[in-house]
mmCIF file of all heavy atoms in Angstrom:
data_model
loop_
_atom_site.group_PDB
_atom_site.id
_atom_site.type_symbol
_atom_site.label_atom_id
_atom_site.label_comp_id
_atom_site.label_asym_id
_atom_site.label_seq_id
_atom_site.Cartn_x
_atom_site.Cartn_y
_atom_site.Cartn_z
ATOM 1 N N ASN A 1 8.546 -13.200 1.369
ATOM 2 C CA ASN A 1 8.498 -11.777 1.705
ATOM 3 C C ASN A 1 8.180 -10.935 0.421
ATOM 4 O O ASN A 1 8.750 -9.887 0.220
ATOM 5 C CB ASN A 1 9.805 -11.303 2.359
ATOM 6 C CG ASN A 1 10.063 -12.006 3.659
ATOM 7 O OD1 ASN A 1 9.148 -12.078 4.507
ATOM 8 N ND2 ASN A 1 11.267 -12.520 3.836
ATOM 9 N N VAL A 2 7.283 -11.439 -0.384
ATOM 10 C CA VAL A 2 6.988 -10.768 -1.661
ATOM 11 C C VAL A 2 6.483 -9.326 -1.383
ATOM 12 O O VAL A 2 5.615 -9.151 -0.510
ATOM 13 C CB VAL A 2 5.916 -11.565 -2.453
ATOM 14 C CG1 VAL A 2 4.650 -11.758 -1.727
ATOM 15 C CG2 VAL A 2 5.717 -10.983 -3.799
ATOM 16 N N LYS A 3 7.007 -8.396 -2.087
ATOM 17 C CA LYS A 3 6.791 -6.987 -1.849
ATOM 18 C C LYS A 3 6.100 -6.271 -3.042
ATOM 19 O O LYS A 3 5.736 -5.135 -2.953
ATOM 20 C CB LYS A 3 8.051 -6.223 -1.491
ATOM 21 C CG LYS A 3 8.610 -6.698 -0.139
ATOM 22 C CD LYS A 3 9.819 -5.841 0.252
ATOM 23 C CE LYS A 3 10.318 -6.220 1.660
ATOM 24 N NZ LYS A 3 11.474 -5.403 2.064
ATOM 25 N N PHE A 4 5.925 -6.976 -4.157
ATOM 26 C CA PHE A 4 5.347 -6.404 -5.341
ATOM 27 C C PHE A 4 4.874 -7.481 -6.237
ATOM 28 O O PHE A 4 5.521 -8.563 -6.349
ATOM 29 C CB PHE A 4 6.442 -5.564 -6.037
ATOM 30 C CG PHE A 4 5.952 -4.645 -7.150
ATOM 31 C CD1 PHE A 4 4.703 -4.061 -7.104
ATOM 32 C CD2 PHE A 4 6.762 -4.429 -8.269
ATOM 33 C CE1 PHE A 4 4.276 -3.233 -8.167
ATOM 34 C CE2 PHE A 4 6.323 -3.618 -9.294
ATOM 35 C CZ PHE A 4 5.083 -3.007 -9.231
ATOM 36 N N LEU A 5 3.752 -7.288 -6.891
ATOM 37 C CA LEU A 5 3.222 -8.230 -7.887
ATOM 38 C C LEU A 5 2.915 -7.504 -9.176
ATOM 39 O O LEU A 5 2.205 -6.472 -9.209
ATOM 40 C CB LEU A 5 1.971 -8.919 -7.348
ATOM 41 C CG LEU A 5 1.369 -9.987 -8.292
ATOM 42 C CD1 LEU A 5 0.960 -11.227 -7.558
ATOM 43 C CD2 LEU A 5 0.173 -9.439 -9.080
ATOM 44 N N ILE A 6 3.470 -8.034 -10.251
ATOM 45 C CA ILE A 6 3.211 -7.465 -11.605
ATOM 46 C C ILE A 6 2.382 -8.422 -12.413
ATOM 47 O O ILE A 6 2.678 -9.654 -12.444
ATOM 48 C CB ILE A 6 4.543 -7.194 -12.340
ATOM 49 C CG1 ILE A 6 5.457 -6.229 -11.594
ATOM 50 C CG2 ILE A 6 4.331 -6.716 -13.761
ATOM 51 C CD1 ILE A 6 6.868 -6.098 -12.139
ATOM 52 N N SER A 7 1.334 -7.941 -13.088
ATOM 53 C CA SER A 7 0.490 -8.764 -13.932
ATOM 54 C C SER A 7 0.538 -8.153 -15.326
ATOM 55 O O SER A 7 0.118 -6.984 -15.505
ATOM 56 C CB SER A 7 -0.932 -8.819 -13.434
ATOM 57 O OG SER A 7 -1.754 -9.540 -14.313
ATOM 58 N N VAL A 8 1.070 -8.905 -16.304
ATOM 59 C CA VAL A 8 1.136 -8.389 -17.672
ATOM 60 C C VAL A 8 0.063 -9.107 -18.506
ATOM 61 O O VAL A 8 0.026 -10.333 -18.570
ATOM 62 C CB VAL A 8 2.569 -8.664 -18.268
ATOM 63 C CG1 VAL A 8 2.646 -8.049 -19.642
ATOM 64 C CG2 VAL A 8 3.636 -8.139 -17.362
ATOM 65 N N GLY A 9 -0.767 -8.310 -19.160
ATOM 66 C CA GLY A 9 -1.837 -8.857 -19.990
ATOM 67 C C GLY A 9 -3.139 -9.007 -19.171
ATOM 68 O O GLY A 9 -3.252 -8.615 -18.044
ATOM 69 N N GLY A 10 -4.112 -9.645 -19.816
ATOM 70 C CA GLY A 10 -5.416 -9.699 -19.201
ATOM 71 C C GLY A 10 -5.812 -11.117 -18.797
ATOM 72 O O GLY A 10 -6.945 -11.618 -19.149
ATOM 73 N N THR A 11 -4.945 -11.865 -18.110
ATOM 74 C CA THR A 11 -5.318 -13.226 -17.722
ATOM 75 C C THR A 11 -6.341 -13.234 -16.595
ATOM 76 O O THR A 11 -6.443 -12.296 -15.787
ATOM 77 C CB THR A 11 -4.028 -13.965 -17.187
ATOM 78 O OG1 THR A 11 -3.615 -13.278 -15.962
ATOM 79 C CG2 THR A 11 -2.929 -13.903 -18.201
ATOM 80 N N ILE A 12 -7.157 -14.299 -16.558
ATOM 81 C CA ILE A 12 -8.140 -14.392 -15.480
ATOM 82 C C ILE A 12 -7.468 -14.606 -14.176
ATOM 83 O O ILE A 12 -7.947 -14.263 -13.137
ATOM 84 C CB ILE A 12 -9.128 -15.596 -15.774
ATOM 85 C CG1 ILE A 12 -8.421 -16.951 -15.844
ATOM 86 C CG2 ILE A 12 -9.937 -15.355 -17.002
ATOM 87 C CD1 ILE A 12 -9.361 -18.129 -15.811
ATOM 88 N N ILE A 13 -6.261 -15.223 -14.222
ATOM 89 C CA ILE A 13 -5.524 -15.437 -13.005
ATOM 90 C C ILE A 13 -5.097 -14.105 -12.345
ATOM 91 O O ILE A 13 -5.138 -13.976 -11.090
ATOM 92 C CB ILE A 13 -4.227 -16.277 -13.282
ATOM 93 C CG1 ILE A 13 -4.663 -17.646 -13.770
ATOM 94 C CG2 ILE A 13 -3.360 -16.391 -12.062
ATOM 95 C CD1 ILE A 13 -5.554 -18.409 -12.843
ATOM 96 N N GLY A 14 -4.793 -13.184 -13.160
ATOM 97 C CA GLY A 14 -4.381 -11.857 -12.644
ATOM 98 C C GLY A 14 -5.596 -10.973 -12.294
ATOM 99 O O GLY A 14 -5.617 -10.373 -11.253
ATOM 100 N N MET A 15 -6.547 -10.935 -13.196
ATOM 101 C CA MET A 15 -7.659 -9.990 -13.069
ATOM 102 C C MET A 15 -8.850 -10.534 -12.345
ATOM 103 O O MET A 15 -9.507 -9.812 -11.570
ATOM 104 C CB MET A 15 -8.108 -9.581 -14.460
ATOM 105 C CG MET A 15 -7.020 -8.852 -15.281
ATOM 106 S SD MET A 15 -7.532 -8.459 -16.951
ATOM 107 C CE MET A 15 -8.955 -7.413 -16.714
ATOM 108 N N GLY A 16 -9.227 -11.824 -12.477
ATOM 109 C CA GLY A 16 -10.382 -12.337 -11.886
ATOM 110 C C GLY A 16 -11.415 -12.725 -12.899
ATOM 111 O O GLY A 16 -11.175 -12.680 -14.139
ATOM 112 N N VAL A 17 -12.595 -13.152 -12.455
ATOM 113 C CA VAL A 17 -13.656 -13.611 -13.330
ATOM 114 C C VAL A 17 -14.930 -12.799 -13.093
ATOM 115 O O VAL A 17 -15.075 -12.113 -12.079
ATOM 116 C CB VAL A 17 -13.990 -15.123 -13.125
ATOM 117 C CG1 VAL A 17 -12.833 -15.967 -13.521
ATOM 118 C CG2 VAL A 17 -14.320 -15.374 -11.628
ATOM 119 N N ASP A 18 -15.854 -12.872 -14.022
ATOM 120 C CA ASP A 18 -17.114 -12.147 -13.978
ATOM 121 C C ASP A 18 -16.903 -10.656 -13.799
ATOM 122 O O ASP A 18 -16.069 -10.094 -14.476
ATOM 123 C CB ASP A 18 -18.039 -12.753 -12.890
ATOM 124 C CG ASP A 18 -18.353 -14.218 -13.146
ATOM 125 O OD1 ASP A 18 -18.383 -14.609 -14.331
ATOM 126 O OD2 ASP A 18 -18.550 -14.966 -12.163
ATOM 127 N N GLU A 19 -17.560 -10.051 -12.823
ATOM 128 C CA GLU A 19 -17.440 -8.597 -12.656
ATOM 129 C C GLU A 19 -16.069 -8.170 -12.144
ATOM 130 O O GLU A 19 -15.660 -7.031 -12.374
ATOM 131 C CB GLU A 19 -18.524 -8.068 -11.663
ATOM 132 C CG GLU A 19 -18.420 -8.613 -10.263
ATOM 133 C CD GLU A 19 -19.257 -9.836 -10.048
ATOM 134 O OE1 GLU A 19 -19.454 -10.618 -10.991
ATOM 135 O OE2 GLU A 19 -19.723 -10.033 -8.916
ATOM 136 N N ALA A 20 -15.307 -9.092 -11.533
ATOM 137 C CA ALA A 20 -13.954 -8.777 -11.034
ATOM 138 C C ALA A 20 -13.025 -8.553 -12.191
ATOM 139 O O ALA A 20 -11.934 -7.902 -12.064
ATOM 140 C CB ALA A 20 -13.492 -9.843 -10.143
ATOM 141 N N ALA A 21 -13.298 -9.128 -13.369
ATOM 142 C CA ALA A 21 -12.411 -9.060 -14.511
ATOM 143 C C ALA A 21 -12.304 -7.671 -15.108
ATOM 144 O O ALA A 21 -11.406 -7.416 -15.895
ATOM 145 C CB ALA A 21 -12.822 -10.074 -15.591
ATOM 146 N N THR A 22 -13.206 -6.773 -14.758
ATOM 147 C CA THR A 22 -13.214 -5.418 -15.266
ATOM 148 C C THR A 22 -12.421 -4.566 -14.243
ATOM 149 O O THR A 22 -13.034 -4.096 -13.297
ATOM 150 C CB THR A 22 -14.614 -4.852 -15.444
ATOM 151 O OG1 THR A 22 -15.341 -5.716 -16.341
ATOM 152 C CG2 THR A 22 -14.540 -3.443 -16.081
ATOM 153 N N ILE A 23 -11.161 -4.389 -14.458
ATOM 154 C CA ILE A 23 -10.275 -3.642 -13.543
ATOM 155 C C ILE A 23 -10.150 -2.207 -14.048
ATOM 156 O O ILE A 23 -9.760 -1.990 -15.215
ATOM 157 C CB ILE A 23 -8.909 -4.332 -13.404
ATOM 158 C CG1 ILE A 23 -9.091 -5.636 -12.649
ATOM 159 C CG2 ILE A 23 -7.955 -3.481 -12.609
ATOM 160 C CD1 ILE A 23 -7.811 -6.435 -12.406
ATOM 161 N N SER A 24 -10.427 -1.267 -13.195
ATOM 162 C CA SER A 24 -10.429 0.132 -13.594
ATOM 163 C C SER A 24 -9.068 0.788 -13.486
ATOM 164 O O SER A 24 -8.842 1.829 -14.058
ATOM 165 C CB SER A 24 -11.426 0.920 -12.745
ATOM 166 O OG SER A 24 -11.092 0.835 -11.393
ATOM 167 N N TYR A 25 -8.130 0.173 -12.759
ATOM 168 C CA TYR A 25 -6.832 0.837 -12.558
ATOM 169 C C TYR A 25 -5.767 0.343 -13.552
ATOM 170 O O TYR A 25 -5.970 -0.664 -14.207
ATOM 171 C CB TYR A 25 -6.327 0.650 -11.119
ATOM 172 C CG TYR A 25 -6.438 -0.770 -10.577
ATOM 173 C CD1 TYR A 25 -5.456 -1.709 -10.885
ATOM 174 C CD2 TYR A 25 -7.493 -1.133 -9.741
ATOM 175 C CE1 TYR A 25 -5.577 -2.970 -10.356
ATOM 176 C CE2 TYR A 25 -7.557 -2.417 -9.216
ATOM 177 C CZ TYR A 25 -6.599 -3.316 -9.570
ATOM 178 O OH TYR A 25 -6.696 -4.634 -9.079
ATOM 179 N N ARG A 26 -4.736 1.128 -13.653
ATOM 180 C CA ARG A 26 -3.647 0.786 -14.567
ATOM 181 C C ARG A 26 -2.304 1.062 -13.936
ATOM 182 O O ARG A 26 -2.162 1.952 -13.071
ATOM 183 C CB ARG A 26 -3.796 1.519 -15.893
ATOM 184 C CG ARG A 26 -3.554 3.018 -15.749
ATOM 185 C CD ARG A 26 -3.633 3.746 -17.090
ATOM 186 N NE ARG A 26 -3.277 5.162 -16.978
ATOM 187 C CZ ARG A 26 -4.123 6.146 -17.319
ATOM 188 N NH1 ARG A 26 -5.344 5.898 -17.781
ATOM 189 N NH2 ARG A 26 -3.741 7.404 -17.263
ATOM 190 N N GLY A 27 -1.234 0.414 -14.460
ATOM 191 C CA GLY A 27 0.044 0.692 -13.910
ATOM 192 C C GLY A 27 0.232 0.356 -12.427
ATOM 193 O O GLY A 27 -0.415 -0.553 -11.954
ATOM 194 N N LEU A 28 1.007 1.137 -11.776
ATOM 195 C CA LEU A 28 1.298 0.900 -10.345
ATOM 196 C C LEU A 28 0.089 1.259 -9.501
ATOM 197 O O LEU A 28 -0.484 2.336 -9.624
ATOM 198 C CB LEU A 28 2.489 1.711 -9.942
ATOM 199 C CG LEU A 28 2.921 1.659 -8.431
ATOM 200 C CD1 LEU A 28 3.324 0.220 -8.100
ATOM 201 C CD2 LEU A 28 4.049 2.599 -8.165
ATOM 202 N N VAL A 29 -0.296 0.289 -8.593
ATOM 203 C CA VAL A 29 -1.395 0.517 -7.688
ATOM 204 C C VAL A 29 -0.955 0.177 -6.281
ATOM 205 O O VAL A 29 -0.477 -0.934 -6.063
ATOM 206 C CB VAL A 29 -2.629 -0.313 -8.088
ATOM 207 C CG1 VAL A 29 -3.829 0.026 -7.143
ATOM 208 C CG2 VAL A 29 -3.053 -0.092 -9.526
ATOM 209 N N LYS A 30 -1.073 1.125 -5.366
ATOM 210 C CA LYS A 30 -0.664 0.850 -3.975
ATOM 211 C C LYS A 30 -1.885 0.352 -3.143
ATOM 212 O O LYS A 30 -3.044 0.667 -3.506
ATOM 213 C CB LYS A 30 -0.047 2.088 -3.373
ATOM 214 C CG LYS A 30 1.197 2.527 -4.108
ATOM 215 C CD LYS A 30 1.794 3.824 -3.569
ATOM 216 C CE LYS A 30 3.042 4.248 -4.348
ATOM 217 N NZ LYS A 30 3.592 5.504 -3.904
ATOM 218 N N PRO A 31 -1.651 -0.333 -2.055
ATOM 219 C CA PRO A 31 -2.746 -0.944 -1.295
ATOM 220 C C PRO A 31 -3.791 0.033 -0.771
ATOM 221 O O PRO A 31 -4.889 -0.339 -0.546
ATOM 222 C CB PRO A 31 -1.987 -1.616 -0.126
ATOM 223 C CG PRO A 31 -0.622 -1.875 -0.638
ATOM 224 C CD PRO A 31 -0.332 -0.744 -1.544
ATOM 225 N N ASN A 32 -3.400 1.302 -0.594
ATOM 226 C CA ASN A 32 -4.380 2.252 -0.048
ATOM 227 C C ASN A 32 -5.216 2.908 -1.113
ATOM 228 O O ASN A 32 -6.052 3.783 -0.856
ATOM 229 C CB ASN A 32 -3.629 3.360 0.725
ATOM 230 C CG ASN A 32 -2.625 4.152 -0.153
ATOM 231 O OD1 ASN A 32 -2.410 3.730 -1.266
ATOM 232 N ND2 ASN A 32 -2.028 5.141 0.438
ATOM 233 N N TYR A 33 -5.094 2.394 -2.352
ATOM 234 C CA TYR A 33 -5.836 2.916 -3.477
ATOM 235 C C TYR A 33 -7.219 2.194 -3.426
ATOM 236 O O TYR A 33 -7.288 0.976 -3.537
ATOM 237 C CB TYR A 33 -5.140 2.650 -4.806
ATOM 238 C CG TYR A 33 -5.857 3.085 -6.061
ATOM 239 C CD1 TYR A 33 -5.652 4.370 -6.510
ATOM 240 C CD2 TYR A 33 -6.687 2.278 -6.785
ATOM 241 C CE1 TYR A 33 -6.312 4.846 -7.654
ATOM 242 C CE2 TYR A 33 -7.291 2.689 -7.882
ATOM 243 C CZ TYR A 33 -7.093 3.968 -8.330
ATOM 244 O OH TYR A 33 -7.759 4.415 -9.467
ATOM 245 N N LEU A 34 -8.318 2.952 -3.326
ATOM 246 C CA LEU A 34 -9.629 2.414 -3.248
ATOM 247 C C LEU A 34 -10.095 1.996 -4.642
ATOM 248 O O LEU A 34 -10.117 2.855 -5.555
ATOM 249 C CB LEU A 34 -10.625 3.392 -2.598
ATOM 250 C CG LEU A 34 -12.076 2.900 -2.511
ATOM 251 C CD1 LEU A 34 -12.142 1.715 -1.542
ATOM 252 C CD2 LEU A 34 -12.986 4.028 -1.979
ATOM 253 N N THR A 35 -10.506 0.756 -4.844
ATOM 254 C CA THR A 35 -11.001 0.324 -6.134
ATOM 255 C C THR A 35 -12.397 -0.246 -5.994
ATOM 256 O O THR A 35 -12.778 -0.630 -4.884
ATOM 257 C CB THR A 35 -10.058 -0.748 -6.738
ATOM 258 O OG1 THR A 35 -10.272 -1.980 -6.009
ATOM 259 C CG2 THR A 35 -8.607 -0.359 -6.634
ATOM 260 N N THR A 36 -13.091 -0.333 -7.120
ATOM 261 C CA THR A 36 -14.421 -0.933 -7.079
ATOM 262 C C THR A 36 -14.340 -2.436 -6.750
ATOM 263 O O THR A 36 -15.324 -3.020 -6.292
ATOM 264 C CB THR A 36 -15.111 -0.742 -8.465
ATOM 265 O OG1 THR A 36 -14.254 -1.263 -9.447
ATOM 266 C CG2 THR A 36 -15.373 0.729 -8.734
ATOM 267 N N ASN A 37 -13.205 -3.003 -6.971
ATOM 268 C CA ASN A 37 -13.048 -4.466 -6.707
ATOM 269 C C ASN A 37 -12.959 -4.789 -5.212
ATOM 270 O O ASN A 37 -13.056 -5.894 -4.824
ATOM 271 C CB ASN A 37 -11.801 -4.980 -7.409
ATOM 272 C CG ASN A 37 -12.056 -5.291 -8.879
ATOM 273 O OD1 ASN A 37 -12.940 -4.677 -9.469
ATOM 274 N ND2 ASN A 37 -11.233 -6.134 -9.474
ATOM 275 N N ASP A 38 -12.857 -3.722 -4.368
ATOM 276 C CA ASP A 38 -12.884 -3.915 -2.956
ATOM 277 C C ASP A 38 -14.245 -4.459 -2.495
ATOM 278 O O ASP A 38 -14.373 -5.057 -1.420
ATOM 279 C CB ASP A 38 -12.592 -2.644 -2.217
ATOM 280 C CG ASP A 38 -11.174 -2.123 -2.451
ATOM 281 O OD1 ASP A 38 -10.309 -3.033 -2.720
ATOM 282 O OD2 ASP A 38 -10.919 -0.975 -2.366
ATOM 283 N N LEU A 39 -15.258 -4.259 -3.315
ATOM 284 C CA LEU A 39 -16.630 -4.611 -2.917
ATOM 285 C C LEU A 39 -17.011 -6.005 -3.527
ATOM 286 O O LEU A 39 -18.116 -6.485 -3.279
ATOM 287 C CB LEU A 39 -17.660 -3.565 -3.393
ATOM 288 C CG LEU A 39 -17.340 -2.129 -2.945
ATOM 289 C CD1 LEU A 39 -18.316 -1.177 -3.565
ATOM 290 C CD2 LEU A 39 -17.391 -2.037 -1.422
ATOM 291 N N ILE A 40 -16.139 -6.582 -4.358
ATOM 292 C CA ILE A 40 -16.425 -7.838 -5.045
ATOM 293 C C ILE A 40 -16.107 -9.028 -4.176
ATOM 294 O O ILE A 40 -15.150 -9.057 -3.440
ATOM 295 C CB ILE A 40 -15.728 -7.869 -6.419
ATOM 296 C CG1 ILE A 40 -16.243 -6.776 -7.353
ATOM 297 C CG2 ILE A 40 -15.868 -9.234 -7.075
ATOM 298 C CD1 ILE A 40 -15.469 -6.669 -8.614
ATOM 299 N N ASP A 41 -16.905 -10.068 -4.348
ATOM 300 C CA ASP A 41 -16.731 -11.299 -3.578
ATOM 301 C C ASP A 41 -15.325 -11.880 -3.804
ATOM 302 O O ASP A 41 -14.820 -11.937 -4.875
ATOM 303 C CB ASP A 41 -17.803 -12.316 -3.977
ATOM 304 C CG ASP A 41 -17.727 -13.555 -3.112
ATOM 305 O OD1 ASP A 41 -18.385 -13.543 -2.043
ATOM 306 O OD2 ASP A 41 -16.997 -14.480 -3.442
ATOM 307 N N GLU A 42 -14.728 -12.354 -2.703
ATOM 308 C CA GLU A 42 -13.370 -12.793 -2.744
ATOM 309 C C GLU A 42 -13.207 -14.049 -3.686
ATOM 310 O O GLU A 42 -12.122 -14.258 -4.200
ATOM 311 C CB GLU A 42 -12.886 -13.186 -1.346
ATOM 312 C CG GLU A 42 -11.415 -13.475 -1.262
ATOM 313 C CD GLU A 42 -10.961 -13.659 0.198
ATOM 314 O OE1 GLU A 42 -11.708 -13.261 1.080
ATOM 315 O OE2 GLU A 42 -9.821 -14.152 0.391
ATOM 316 N N SER A 43 -14.241 -14.784 -3.924
ATOM 317 C CA SER A 43 -14.195 -15.988 -4.753
ATOM 318 C C SER A 43 -13.989 -15.650 -6.247
ATOM 319 O O SER A 43 -13.695 -16.535 -7.021
ATOM 320 C CB SER A 43 -15.463 -16.827 -4.581
ATOM 321 O OG SER A 43 -16.570 -16.118 -5.060
ATOM 322 N N LYS A 44 -14.168 -14.359 -6.586
ATOM 323 C CA LYS A 44 -14.136 -13.950 -7.990
ATOM 324 C C LYS A 44 -12.874 -13.139 -8.355
ATOM 325 O O LYS A 44 -12.529 -12.947 -9.517
ATOM 326 C CB LYS A 44 -15.386 -13.160 -8.414
ATOM 327 C CG LYS A 44 -16.639 -14.004 -8.295
ATOM 328 C CD LYS A 44 -17.850 -13.168 -8.755
ATOM 329 C CE LYS A 44 -19.086 -14.021 -8.683
ATOM 330 N NZ LYS A 44 -20.323 -13.301 -9.141
ATOM 331 N N ILE A 45 -12.161 -12.661 -7.331
ATOM 332 C CA ILE A 45 -11.034 -11.788 -7.654
ATOM 333 C C ILE A 45 -9.791 -12.638 -8.071
ATOM 334 O O ILE A 45 -9.675 -13.793 -7.772
ATOM 335 C CB ILE A 45 -10.652 -10.914 -6.406
ATOM 336 C CG1 ILE A 45 -10.230 -11.763 -5.225
ATOM 337 C CG2 ILE A 45 -11.824 -10.006 -6.030
ATOM 338 C CD1 ILE A 45 -9.724 -11.019 -4.080
ATOM 339 N N GLY A 46 -8.871 -11.934 -8.750
ATOM 340 C CA GLY A 46 -7.681 -12.591 -9.160
ATOM 341 C C GLY A 46 -6.525 -12.266 -8.278
ATOM 342 O O GLY A 46 -6.718 -11.698 -7.173
ATOM 343 N N LEU A 47 -5.300 -12.589 -8.715
ATOM 344 C CA LEU A 47 -4.144 -12.382 -7.873
ATOM 345 C C LEU A 47 -3.859 -10.939 -7.596
ATOM 346 O O LEU A 47 -3.331 -10.550 -6.547
ATOM 347 C CB LEU A 47 -2.941 -13.037 -8.512
ATOM 348 C CG LEU A 47 -2.930 -14.565 -8.515
ATOM 349 C CD1 LEU A 47 -1.735 -15.130 -9.264
ATOM 350 C CD2 LEU A 47 -2.922 -15.115 -7.058
#
């Protein structure tokens, strides 16, 4: 029943690879927050 995920640092596991690794948001992000990563292929995104 995980309700929150924290990623500290810039790991590929947290951020993703290739274009997904450039994350524009910072700090707390809620699911209704629209990000550019919503358009990125699922195979490249991180946790």
Side-chain angles (χ1 to χ4, degrees):
N1 297 312
V2 61
K3 294 185 177 180
F4 190 35
L5 181 137
I6 299 170
S7 176
V8 185
T11 65
I12 62 168
I13 296 306
M15 297 175 63
V17 293
D18 299 332
E19 63 267 31
T22 305
I23 292 182
S24 59
Y25 46 82
R26 69 177 184 238
L28 178 62
V29 184
K30 298 179 182 178
N32 58 355
Y33 181 88
L34 180 64
T35 74
T36 55
N37 281 23
D38 293 334
L39 307 175
I40 294 175
D41 186 87
E42 190 171 346
S43 64
K44 296 182 178 181
I45 63 173
L47 290 175

